[in-house]
Amino acid sequence: MKPLVLTFAATGEATAARIVEALGAEQVPGSAEAVRLAFTQGRPIIGVCAAGILIRVLAPLLGDKHIEPPVIAVSQNGAHAVPLLGGHHGANRLAREIAEALGGSAALTTASDERFAHALDDLPDGYRLEDRSAAKHVMARVLSGEALQVAGDATLLADAGYPIDPQSSLTVAIGPETSLVADLVIRPRTLVAGVGCERGTDAAEVIGLLEATLAEAGLSKMALAAIGSIDVKADETALHRAAAHFGVPFRVFSPEALAAESHRLLNPSSIVAAEVGTPGVAEAVACKAGDMRVPKHKSRRATCAVGEASAPIDAAKFGRAVGVVHIVGLGPGDPQQRSADASAVLLQAEDWVGYGLYLDLASDLENGQHQHRFDLGDEEVRVRHALELAGEGRRVALICSGDAQIYAMATLVYELLDAEGERAVSESARRVIVESHPGISAMQAASAAAGAILGHDFCAISLSDLLTPREAILSRLEAAAEADFVTAFYNPRSRRRLDLIEKAKAIFLEHRPGTTPVVIGTNVGRPEEHVRVTTLAAFDPTEIDMLTVVLFGASTTRTLTRGDGRTLAFTPRGYERKHS
């Protein structure tokens, strides 16, 4: 993940901006919540602030040093970068990079980093240790004066300042072969597995084929940099699960890009060419990495091949990512009522798409995302835009208030994915990943602010007749009133639609007494919040608007006046009968 840069004072803004530019990091305003969230996600943290601020915020979360992410404090003038945590998980290296970019100094306190460009257990991106525990022993012997005998390309260690001696008894082996034996084995991530499969192939079959192919070839799975396939397989669950199993990204290529490798394929297929536009998928992806290390192997429904590059592969530049649309529910609007999951997604997304007001409600997490703002009535336009952006391989957050599953954009996403003809989205958009991140709904927030009116059976009805026929709304009102549900009304009133909420009141009065509690919540969860409890008889439909949610109680709903004078509404579930 990109490092997160936080500032706690305006005097650190200029330094933070230089760090962001130098590292390609992301910046957010400093807050304890943002620091803790990044830490729990394992995200590198760079605070342009006093070290004590980060220490006090993170102290309750400290535990296993082996899994803590890098945490660095940078002085506001950029003169000093101090690794506080995760020294051997990238903090020392990041501190050096920051110091170099700012013309300052890195205050490194670990012995290995004082002498060498990186410790043996903090290798540069693209390298992994076969056995991390062995690094400490080897590092101790190096610090005691021993040199390293290196099997493989020694450039990585020589450039970092390690002494190299082909006669030394302290051995290091660098390469993807499982046959390597040494005191410390380093795996360069130079391998790519190209995979093809039939639609709906079980993930276990793909994983088993890859495991067996690598084992037969004597190659370590720790040397894998990516799994790749053709772009029509972008939504193939088995391939995503296989990539997750091996802990590598899943990348895709167009048929044209793969067809460019046709002359290098060892097992081309005219049948495959006729079906997908390239005579091979697995071997073509392998060739994109460099040389063909393992030609095509087959299982019943899948194929794979392995390619090898001459240097570690940057997976971010290999093919393209599979795009994802995150459907994010912000909750009522207050950042404290937003889920940690939603906040994490908003921070990591490249693009935000939504109604302008909703994007403004997430502005505390803004850190350079491309914002795509739409008017309130452009629902289909903005959902389509989000899907097409993701079709380009981008991480997109489609932002909604409340819960996106309730009268919001989640259902429209799936509707467009299923659409044909003029409403159909592009093929690449149809293949994107879709993930939902629920938020607190308006009816939940209003109920909580006014007691517990949703304590028993309830339903929700939208009074907007733009998308639902008026007759259907009236029928549902009758049914809800007769069934004695607590009923939440969304979109209760607009400038041109005035009477449906009035009809709702009249219908419900036919089935329950005028003393039935009613909760009215306006701008719930926002600074302008106004929540009050009245009765069905006293309820005035003219005082509500589109920023209001209304909840009619059931016949069993009661009110309670607390010592502070507040009147609250609640609907008993029946525990009194259970107790008796």
Side-chain angles (χ1 to χ4, degrees):
M1 292 183 283
K2 291 182 179 179
L4 187 66
V5 180
L6 304 101
T7 55
F8 290 80
T11 49
E13 287 294 335
T15 296
R18 293 173 64 192
I19 296 172
V20 168
E21 182 178 0
L23 302 184
E26 297 176 350
Q27 181 181 354
V28 297
S31 70
E33 178 191 26
V35 172
R36 294 188 186 111
L37 175 62
F39 188 81
T40 56
Q41 293 172 334
R43 187 173 191 181
I45 299 168
I46 302 170
V48 182
C49 60
I53 293 176
L54 299 177
I55 291 170
R56 284 191 294 272
V57 169
L58 293 175
L61 303 180
L62 300 184
D64 186 353
K65 71 176 185 178
H66 299 293
I67 62 173
E68 291 168 351
V71 179
I72 302 161
V74 180
S75 60
Q76 294 187 17
N77 62 3
H80 306 287
V82 185
L84 302 178
L85 296 169
H88 286 184
H89 295 99
N92 291 338
R93 180 158 37 91
L94 267 177
R96 277 199 176 101
E97 293 178 16
I98 293 168
E100 182 178 348
L102 302 182
S105 62
L108 307 183
T109 57
T110 50
S112 56
D113 287 281
E114 290 178 348
R115 291 180 54 183
F116 309 113
H118 55 75
L120 292 177
D121 60 356
D122 183 25
L123 299 174
D125 292 340
Y127 295 90
R128 301 172 76 182
L129 294 173
E130 181 75 28
D131 179 5
R132 189 176 185 85
S133 65
K136 184 176 181 180
H137 168 71
V138 174
M139 193 80 242
R141 290 177 63 179
V142 171
L143 292 173
S144 298
E146 291 190 60
L148 298 173
Q149 179 191 149
V150 181
D153 186 353
T155 304
L156 169 71
L157 300 176
D159 287 350
Y162 287 92
I164 308 297
D165 182 353
Q167 303 304 317
S168 175
S169 61
L170 185 59
T171 58
V172 176
I174 303 176
E177 294 80 13
T178 54
S179 58
L180 295 178
V181 178
D183 293 304
L184 184 68
V185 177
I186 298 174
R187 301 297 187 193
R189 305 187 81 165
T190 54
L191 303 180
V192 166
V195 183
C197 67
E198 296 178 21
R199 181 63 69 183
T201 299
D202 189 86
E205 179 177 345
V206 174
I207 293 169
L209 174 62
L210 288 170
E211 295 268 16
T213 299
L214 291 168
E216 181 184 328
L219 298 173
S220 170
K221 58 187 177 184
M222 296 187 72
L224 269 182
I227 288 174
S229 191
I230 192 167
D231 57 12
V232 296
K233 294 295 180 182
D235 60 345
E236 191 69 56
T237 300
L239 302 186
H240 286 281
R241 290 183 178 173
H245 172 82
F246 290 100
V248 298
F250 175 48
R251 311 289 290 186
V252 295
F253 293 85
S254 68
E256 295 77 16
L258 296 181
E261 305 295 334
S262 298
H263 63 288
R264 303 176 61 194
L265 305 187
L266 299 180
N267 298 282
S269 168
S270 58
I271 296 176
V272 174
E275 289 183 354
V276 298
T278 174
V281 173
E283 288 190 344
V285 172
C287 288
K288 287 293 182 185
D291 295 328
M292 179 91 69
R293 183 67 187 258
V294 182
K296 184 166 67 175
H297 280 52
K298 297 181 180 181
S299 63
R300 188 173 68 88
R301 303 185 68 195
T303 62
C304 77
V306 180
E308 182 177 17
S310 58
I313 293 170
D314 182 354
K317 299 177 180 177
F318 184 76
R320 71 166 176 84
V322 177
V324 56
V325 171
H326 294 281
I327 310 172
V328 180
L330 293 177
D334 187 333
Q336 293 186 352
Q337 294 181 310
R338 184 192 306 144
S339 73
D341 181 44
S343 294
V345 165
L346 290 169
L347 281 171
Q348 296 167 17
E350 298 171 283
D351 297 86
W352 286 0
V353 177
Y355 172 44
L357 172 62
Y358 303 158
L359 270 58
D360 292 339
L361 291 174
S363 61
D364 58 303
L365 298 178
E366 183 180 344
N367 60 356
Q369 300 94 337
H370 299 285
Q371 296 195 16
H372 308 262
R373 293 172 172 262
F374 293 85
D375 293 335
L376 183 60
D378 292 337
E379 293 90 352
E380 184 161 327
V381 175
R382 64 179 184 257
V383 171
R384 184 181 301 277
H385 188 71
L387 288 169
E388 295 297 347
L389 280 173
E392 298 171 7
R394 301 181 68 81
R395 299 187 307 276
V396 182
L398 178 61
I399 301 175
C400 307
S401 67
D403 183 358
Q405 300 286 328
I406 301 176
Y407 301 119
M409 299 298 96
T411 185
L412 185 52
V413 168
Y414 294 105
E415 185 178 336
L416 290 181
L417 288 175
D418 188 51
E420 298 179 353
E422 293 182 357
R423 292 187 74 204
V425 296
S426 68
E427 189 63 27
S428 58
R430 196 185 297 275
R431 304 289 183 189
V432 303
I433 299 168
V434 177
E435 297 184 0
S436 289
H437 309 269
I440 298 172
S441 68
M443 63 182 177
Q444 289 175 294
S447 178
I453 197 169
L454 296 181
H456 206 348
D457 294 340
F458 65 90
C459 67
I461 299 175
S462 171
L463 296 184
S464 172
D465 57 2
L466 292 176
L467 302 177
T468 305
R470 185 181 180 86
E471 295 73 19
I473 295 173
L474 292 172
S475 175
R476 290 166 188 173
L477 289 173
E478 290 281 0
E482 184 176 354
D484 200 21
F485 283 120
V486 174
T487 305
F489 296 106
Y490 280 73
N491 309 309
R493 188 182 180 94
S494 68
R495 282 176 294 185
R496 72 170 188 83
R497 176 176 35 79
L498 306 176
D499 67 324
L500 279 173
I501 187 64
E502 296 172 352
K503 288 187 176 296
K505 175 181 177 178
I507 291 170
F508 274 67
L509 279 172
E510 293 175 2
H511 295 274
R512 60 199 65 173
T515 55
T516 301
V518 171
V519 171
I520 306 169
T522 302
N523 282 308
V524 182
R526 300 171 188 170
E528 309 83 10
E529 175 180 291
H530 182 42
V531 179
R532 59 272 195 206
V533 177
T534 185
T535 65
L536 187 56
F539 169 61
D540 182 3
T542 64
E543 69 177 62
I544 63 172
D545 56 26
M546 287 294 286
L547 296 178
T548 300
V549 62
V550 178
L551 296 93
F552 286 180
S555 62
T556 55
T557 303
R558 290 149 50 182
T559 58
L560 167 69
T561 300
R562 300 298 310 277
D564 60 3
R566 290 191 306 149
T567 297
L568 304 177
F570 65 101
T571 307
R573 191 177 175 200
Y575 292 108
E576 182 179 353
R577 290 190 299 276
K578 179 179 180 182
H579 178 73
S580 62

